[in-house]
Amino acid sequence: MPSYSRRDALKALPALAAGLAGCASLTGRDDSLPMPTAWTAGVRTPTRALRPPSGPLLVGTGSPFHADPMVSALDPETGEERWAVTGRKGYRSPLGVDDQYAYLFSKAGRATAVDYEAGERAWNIGLTGVGSADPGVVQYPPVVADDTVVFPISGTENDVVDRLLGLSREDGERRFRAELPASLAGAPASAPAGGGSQAGVIAPILDGTVRRFATDESESWRADVGASPSSVAVAGDTVFVGSATEELLALDAATGELRWRGSLRNTVFARPLVSDGRVYVGGADYFLYAFDAETGTRLWRRELAGPVTCGPTRVGDRLVTVVGSDLLVRGHSGTVPFEPTALYVHATDGTLLGEYRFEGYLDGGTVNWVVAAGDGVYVGQEWQLARLDAGVLDAE
């Protein structure tokens, strides 16, 4: 198991102590978010919001209750619900999308596609061995690869067959099944065809490998990175992955060969962001980094108040990053609370533009994620979805 920080301050607080700290701050404290919001909407455990170019704002819910919608479409300007699709009782995955459907799967043992223009199910397929698994089995979203949508079925316990299941985007017909040698270490990413390789999925595995699977279920390559890697990002012909060896790695997407490695001071929890020839990555070492995507040269590094657990995400020429909060770490750690929780706004050159601390009790509960969707920035909490006011990004 990796050491997540060399600082004593990063040691996880016991859950009871964290709970007592929250209760002690109920009196005499503003319980709204520490930055202006455009709107808030009541959504129980919202999954990361998405906004396809031709569609509404889409959000799922990780709630196990059938009354909570699997997928909702919201007006991005007001937060008002346009439609909602419910399903059977069971925890659900985050959403994956293409140009027509939103995809998810649940512990109710179903894989579902929803037409997000019509607000109706397109297909609903049964899954085996999911209902009895731990809730972590639905931690990662489906991935679209060419004409196939791949469902990453992988738990945090030894109670499910870890596998990638490929279904037809059009009708849910089974395309392939690729069993994994161990649990996923992070979220897989789609890899387009190129360099002699078919379209497929690149998956980080807890056995310390990164593997590429084609949509015919063949394993195109595997790269041994020496320790459990983070979620992966694919940009053009390069794969980027943060490793518990305290490095950011760049691999050839067609062959898996190492192109460069960038030095960090600890492991990585969140998916790297690739934009305009740069790779931005946050570590458990309290730093946000920028590297040149071609050469691996470090361009800058900025200190933060805690380990990066979400982001960065890019909005225009701004980077928005979350540190702290509760995080489900694959391996032996389980859900770990990190303190403090804060949201940072940086310019792409690393200039700090804003820092917002989430302290004490908050309407909507613990902050879990922040994401850019369309022209908005959204924050997901335990019981609330909020769109940030544009002024949050305008600071100089």
Side-chain angles (χ1 to χ4, degrees):
M1 183 179 70
S3 171
Y4 295 125
S5 176
R6 292 192 175 99
R7 304 180 183 201
D8 291 338
L10 184 55
K11 292 179 180 178
L13 297 176
L16 177 59
L20 291 175
C23 293
S25 62
L26 288 175
T27 302
R29 179 179 291 276
D30 182 2
D31 56 7
S32 60
L33 289 173
M35 75 284 286
T37 59
W39 52 257
T40 60
V43 182
R44 191 197 306 261
T45 57
T47 60
R48 298 190 184 195
L50 300 170
R51 190 179 181 189
S54 62
L57 182 70
L58 301 174
V59 63
T61 172
S63 165
F65 304 110
H66 62 77
D68 293 321
M70 296 189 302
V71 187
S72 299
L74 306 181
D75 185 308
E77 302 304 321
T78 66
E80 294 181 358
E81 186 178 277
R82 294 182 180 176
W83 54 255
V85 175
T86 57
R88 297 181 182 178
K89 184 175 180 179
Y91 292 96
R92 297 113 180 188
S93 73
L95 303 178
V97 297
D98 59 17
D99 57 1
Q100 185 177 9
Y101 299 139
Y103 304 97
L104 74 155
F105 64 113
S106 74
K107 273 178 51 63
R110 312 297 297 180
T112 304
V114 175
D115 185 317
Y116 53 73
E117 291 291 352
E120 299 175 349
R121 288 184 184 84
W123 46 261
N124 191 33
I125 305 298
L127 302 174
T128 60
V130 175
S132 59
D134 64 278
V137 71
V138 293
Q139 185 176 353
Y140 302 124
V143 177
V144 174
D146 199 15
D147 59 356
T148 301
V149 55
V150 180
F151 293 83
I153 301 170
S154 179
T156 57
E157 308 290 342
N158 295 321
D159 53 7
V160 66
V161 177
D162 298 295
R163 62 196 187 273
L164 302 176
L165 180 65
L167 303 179
S168 165
R169 290 166 56 187
E170 180 179 1
D171 56 17
E173 181 181 351
R174 178 168 162 168
R175 291 283 176 80
F176 77 87
R177 170 186 167 125
E179 293 193 8
L180 305 176
S183 296
L184 288 168
S190 176
S197 298
Q198 298 181 46
V201 172
I202 297 178
I205 315 296
L206 273 181
D207 66 354
T209 62
V210 177
R211 303 177 186 228
R212 177 168 180 154
F213 296 91
T215 52
D216 65 0
E217 81 179 42
S218 63
E219 184 179 303
S220 306
W221 54 257
R222 73 180 67 175
D224 188 347
V225 298
S228 302
S230 74
S231 299
V232 298
V234 178
D237 61 357
T238 307
V239 178
F240 300 94
V241 58
S243 172
T245 58
E246 303 183 350
E247 296 171 307
L248 175 67
L249 306 177
L251 309 175
D252 186 295
T255 66
E257 293 181 0
L258 179 68
R259 290 186 167 172
W260 55 257
R261 59 179 78 228
S263 178
L264 309 174
R265 291 187 174 182
N266 216 296
T267 190
V268 175
F269 295 131
R271 192 195 301 269
L273 167 69
V274 188
S275 180
D276 290 343
R278 294 183 175 187
V279 188
Y280 303 97
V281 64
D285 56 4
Y286 291 61
F287 284 102
L288 178 65
Y289 296 83
F291 292 88
D292 183 284
E294 184 66 26
T295 66
T297 301
R298 194 181 82 191
L299 303 176
W300 51 258
R301 182 181 72 177
R302 298 294 181 266
E303 189 167 13
L304 308 173
V308 174
T309 52
C310 182
T313 186
R314 183 166 177 175
V315 189
D317 58 355
R318 303 292 192 253
L319 302 172
V320 184
T321 309
V322 171
V323 305
S325 192
D326 293 350
L327 182 70
L328 177 58
V329 180
R330 290 283 170 132
H332 301 293
S333 298
T335 300
V336 182
F338 293 111
E339 296 288 346
T341 300
L343 181 145
Y344 286 88
V345 180
H346 288 87
T348 53
D349 65 1
T351 301
L352 177 63
L353 302 176
E355 177 184 358
Y356 303 89
R357 296 289 184 106
F358 302 96
E359 297 176 324
Y361 176 82
L362 298 173
D363 278 348
T366 302
V367 172
N368 294 320
W369 54 261
V370 60
V371 70
D375 59 354
V377 180
Y378 301 88
V379 173
Q381 298 172 257
E382 288 180 90
W383 311 290
Q384 180 173 275
L385 174 69
R387 175 169 175 158
L388 300 186
D389 187 271
V392 174
L393 303 178
D394 290 342
E396 294 291 347

